[in-house]
Amino acid sequence: MAHTPQLAVSGTSTPSFRDIVRDVMKHYKHEKESEAHQIFRNAGGHKPKGVPQIVDPDEETVPGIEHPGSTGVIYCSDRAMANGFSYTSSHEWANLGQGAPEVGPIPDAPERPNSIPLPTDSLEYAPTTGVKALREAVANLYNHTYRQEKNSQYTYENVCIVPGGRSGLSRLAAVIGDVYTSYQVPDYTAYDQVLSSFKRLVPIPTALNPKDKYRLDIEQTKKDIRTQGLAVVLASNPRNPTGQVGVIRGNDLKELVSLSKEGTTIILDEFYSWYIYPENNSDYGKSISSAKYVDDVNEDSVVIIDGLTKNWRLPGWRVCWVIGPKNLITALSQSGSFLDGGANHPLQLAAIPLLDPLHVQQEKIALQKHFKVKRDHVLSRLKDLHLEVDIPPTSTFYIWLNLEKLPAPLNNGLTFFEELLKEQTIVIPGIFFDINPAHRRNLFNSPCHHFVRLSFGPPLKDLDKGLDAIGRVLKRAKKSGMSEFGQGYKTAAGLPEEPAQV
């Protein structure tokens, strides 16, 4: 039930409507009281499961169709477009939401690819498992980087090339039977759609503790396997959005991999494996992967997803891979034949020289030095804005920013996001990383509600543009108070929403 403001009377004056609204906003308890939250719920697929998912009641609905819900980046891009953003005029905006690194030249990195050969054979379909030469190159890179001391080595039969990380996840989900699948909160937004869409995966959540720097509790995971019968553990490492590699590293990572010998499949999203920011110069060029701790590549049920998207800074190529036991790769070939048909053939061929270990080492070192500078710059500017980060990122290119100390309603991610759209800046509200397949939880109760994810993937000038916008919002709040916040947001039609019922 909404709080009813007490009307303070001074002399004969009557409090203004703005005063009443401001007092109500201080006491937000439920998503129904917030305009930003109602816009979110009214987007396709965001209502609780079991509730009709009608996007526009004036449009004809298609029988049998259920909206899966959008990922954070898609929803935020749509909301930005309602506020005037377009990809043709994107230079006017600061996009700190897109989960992509800058793709242009950076200091000391190899030259960026600028042409793609097109031999006649490449105009044919590629195999659904990918071009054999590229699969061999991926296997060789992992053996060289992580498995030189191991007797068991990856071969091309352990690698499946897929058209993007989400495609890899979808292929995996399509071949996993009716099992309990462990996931963590917070984690990568696409896991929510995978766990919602593939009904044979029964999602079992684990809330990560910020006091432990969002580290996966291995002992608790072991207990859950025994008591709940977990058959699959799904996680990103390094972790998106919290930017922590300490979640599962070293002995912890080794112990997690060892669970695969006991009948549990470990699926690790390692797209940020190069984005490690060392304190010592001698540690530049190092990366992490569960591949280091796999004993037998065909017996240990460890599955790795990675690709050119993040580490090689080539998100537009859509060339990624899944690594695991060869009988899994056969299954992924079959699911790929009806899900996506395979990755781009010419780009697979063009990717082969990029996986040469010497080329990779040069890319790694340049990337780590450049992105560490950007990380430190953003953290410093946030500190100047009195937005110190509770747990600074040691990896990835994300900052998990806690807004709890800001006055309501700016202290929640959805409202903060909507206010930044007015300043032509995009961030991702934290609730998208609250993997919640049923969508039933009151959004104000989400452990991610008071957070936004900021990406320092874009070039430095774009980062400064976005940080300037955050500064303007905070300055406006300090100067004018909170009465103008939390309302008047534009819909997809470009018009403000009706005021929320409070």
Side-chain angles (χ1 to χ4, degrees), residues 265-498:
T265 296
I266 310 298
I267 301 176
L268 290 175
D269 168 349
E270 296 186 350
F271 272 88
Y272 301 93
S273 57
W274 295 5
Y275 290 84
I276 312 295
Y277 305 117
E279 298 302 321
N280 301 318
N281 287 338
S282 60
D283 290 330
Y284 280 107
K286 294 182 179 179
S287 54
I288 64 166
S289 175
S290 53
K292 180 176 180 179
Y293 303 105
V294 172
D295 288 332
D296 190 309
V297 298
N298 289 316
E299 295 295 329
D300 296 358
S301 53
V302 176
V303 184
I304 298 167
I305 310 175
D306 199 353
L308 301 184
T309 305
K310 304 298 194 297
N311 292 334
W312 281 260
R313 300 186 297 116
L314 295 170
W317 282 35
R318 313 305 295 158
V319 174
C320 299
W321 48 81
V322 179
I323 301 175
K326 62 182 181 181
N327 61 342
L328 169 71
I329 302 307
T330 302
L332 295 183
S333 174
Q334 294 168 345
S335 64
S337 67
F338 64 82
L339 280 173
D340 55 61
N344 182 290
H345 196 159
L347 289 173
Q348 288 188 63
L349 297 177
I352 294 168
L354 303 182
L355 274 74
D356 176 79
L358 292 177
H359 180 100
V360 164
Q361 192 66 3
Q362 188 180 353
E363 288 271 22
K364 270 188 202 176
I365 294 171
L367 178 148
Q368 290 170 353
K369 289 183 176 180
H370 182 68
F371 276 75
K372 185 180 180 182
V373 168
K374 292 199 296 179
R375 179 202 65 174
D376 294 346
H377 177 78
V378 174
L379 289 174
S380 176
R381 287 212 53 191
L382 288 172
K383 184 177 181 180
D384 291 342
L385 293 170
H386 305 290
L387 288 174
E388 291 196 54
V389 179
D390 296 339
I391 307 173
T394 59
S395 57
T396 76
F397 45 77
Y398 301 122
I399 291 173
W400 190 232
L401 181 62
N402 190 349
L403 306 171
E404 277 187 297
K405 294 180 182 179
L406 294 179
L410 282 181
N411 63 349
N412 75 77
L414 269 175
T415 302
F416 192 80
F417 157 73
E418 290 284 350
E419 294 298 334
L420 279 176
L421 291 181
K422 298 176 182 178
E423 301 289 341
Q424 296 186 309
T425 293
I426 305 171
V427 297
I428 305 294
I431 58 166
F432 283 102
F433 304 94
D434 177 3
I435 313 303
N436 177 21
H439 299 173
R440 294 189 186 280
R441 182 160 43 229
N442 173 10
L443 298 174
F444 273 65
N445 293 336
S446 167
C448 305
H449 183 244
H450 294 289
F451 289 85
V452 290
R453 188 194 74 178
L454 307 181
S455 169
F456 55 92
L460 197 58
K461 62 180 178 59
D462 293 334
L463 300 179
D464 278 330
K465 191 185 299 183
L467 291 162
D468 289 344
I470 293 173
R472 290 195 297 272
V473 169
L474 298 180
K475 185 176 181 180
R476 183 157 49 96
K478 186 175 182 180
K479 181 179 180 181
S480 305
M482 305 309 297
S483 60
E484 64 181 88
F485 293 100
Q487 56 189 313
Y489 302 133
K490 294 178 180 179
T491 64
L495 298 173
E497 277 280 278
E498 290 293 319

Side-chain angles (χ1 to χ4, degrees), residues 132-165:
K132 182 180 177 182
L134 178 57
R135 296 165 68 192
E136 289 175 332
V138 172
N140 290 338
L141 177 62
Y142 276 76
N143 291 334
H144 178 273
T145 309
Y146 305 112
R147 304 188 57 78
Q148 290 194 25
E149 75 286 1
K150 300 282 188 180
N151 292 324
S152 177
Q153 297 282 294
Y154 287 119
T155 72
Y156 76 94
E157 292 181 295
N158 299 108
V159 180
C160 181
I161 308 299
V162 292

Side-chain angles (χ1 to χ4, degrees), residues 41-107:
R41 280 297 197 191
N42 288 329
H46 291 173
K47 288 184 172 63
K49 298 304 180 186
V51 174
Q53 306 288 314
I54 298 175
V55 180
D56 186 344
D58 295 327
E59 294 182 1
E60 180 184 359
T61 57
V62 181
I65 297 300
E66 179 180 324
H67 283 269
S70 56
T71 60
V73 170
I74 298 300
Y75 175 82
C76 294
S77 297
D78 288 345
R79 292 294 304 133
M81 289 177 185
N83 284 265
F85 173 81
S86 72
Y87 288 98
T88 57
S89 62
S90 59
H91 61 279
E92 299 171 5
W93 283 65
N95 189 350
L96 310 189
Q98 184 75 47
E102 59 180 293
V103 299
I106 61 174

Side-chain angles (χ1 to χ4, degrees), residues 5-257:
Q6 300 298 313
L7 306 184
V9 179
S10 175
T12 59
S13 64
T14 301
S16 68
F17 177 74
R18 282 186 170 225
D19 291 333
I20 296 173
V21 170
R22 180 172 64 242
D23 189 47
V24 170
M25 285 180 175
K26 290 179 181 177
H27 297 85
Y28 274 174
K29 300 290 186 185
H30 197 280
E31 60 184 64
K32 291 181 179 179
E33 300 166 337
S34 166
E35 185 175 316
H37 291 70
Q38 287 306 292
I39 293 173
F40 169 82
R41 280 297 197 191
N42 288 329
H46 291 173
K47 288 184 172 63
K49 298 304 180 186
V51 174
Q53 306 288 314
I54 298 175
V55 180
D56 186 344
D58 295 327
E59 294 182 1
E60 180 184 359
T61 57
V62 181
I65 297 300
E66 179 180 324
H67 283 269
S70 56
T71 60
V73 170
I74 298 300
Y75 175 82
C76 294
S77 297
D78 288 345
R79 292 294 304 133
M81 289 177 185
N83 284 265
F85 173 81
S86 72
Y87 288 98
T88 57
S89 62
S90 59
H91 61 279
E92 299 171 5
W93 283 65
N95 189 350
L96 310 189
Q98 184 75 47
E102 59 180 293
V103 299
I106 61 174
D108 301 322
E111 184 180 353
R112 297 268 76 194
N114 53 33
S115 62
I116 302 297
L118 292 171
T120 302
D121 288 349
S122 73
L123 306 181
E124 300 280 358
Y125 287 123
T128 53
T129 46
V131 171
K132 182 180 177 182
L134 178 57
R135 296 165 68 192
E136 289 175 332
V138 172
N140 290 338
L141 177 62
Y142 276 76
N143 291 334
H144 178 273
T145 309
Y146 305 112
R147 304 188 57 78
Q148 290 194 25
E149 75 286 1
K150 300 282 188 180
N151 292 324
S152 177
Q153 297 282 294
Y154 287 119
T155 72
Y156 76 94
E157 292 181 295
N158 299 108
V159 180
C160 181
I161 308 299
V162 292
R166 292 177 185 85
S167 176
L169 281 170
S170 298
R171 288 198 192 190
L172 280 167
V175 300
I176 294 174
D178 302 290
V179 295
Y180 289 125
T181 303
S182 170
Y183 66 94
Q184 295 83 52
V185 175
D187 214 329
Y188 176 42
T189 66
Y191 299 164
D192 191 281
Q193 281 71 35
V194 169
L195 293 168
S196 299
S197 299
F198 291 87
K199 310 298 185 185
R200 298 175 69 188
L201 304 179
V202 181
I204 305 294
T206 298
L208 299 174
N209 192 337
K211 292 180 181 179
D212 295 329
K213 296 186 177 181
Y214 299 101
R215 174 180 171 271
L216 181 66
D217 188 329
I218 300 296
E219 292 306 313
Q220 183 62 48
T221 301
K222 288 180 178 179
K223 181 179 178 181
D224 291 343
I225 289 172
R226 292 194 305 269
T227 60
Q228 300 184 39
L230 298 180
V232 175
V233 175
L234 170 64
S236 61
N237 185 52
R239 192 175 292 284
N240 170 12
T242 56
Q244 300 304 308
V245 72
V247 176
I248 36 181
R249 187 179 192 177
N251 288 334
D252 279 351
L253 183 53
K254 182 178 182 180
E255 198 163 353
L256 179 66
V257 168

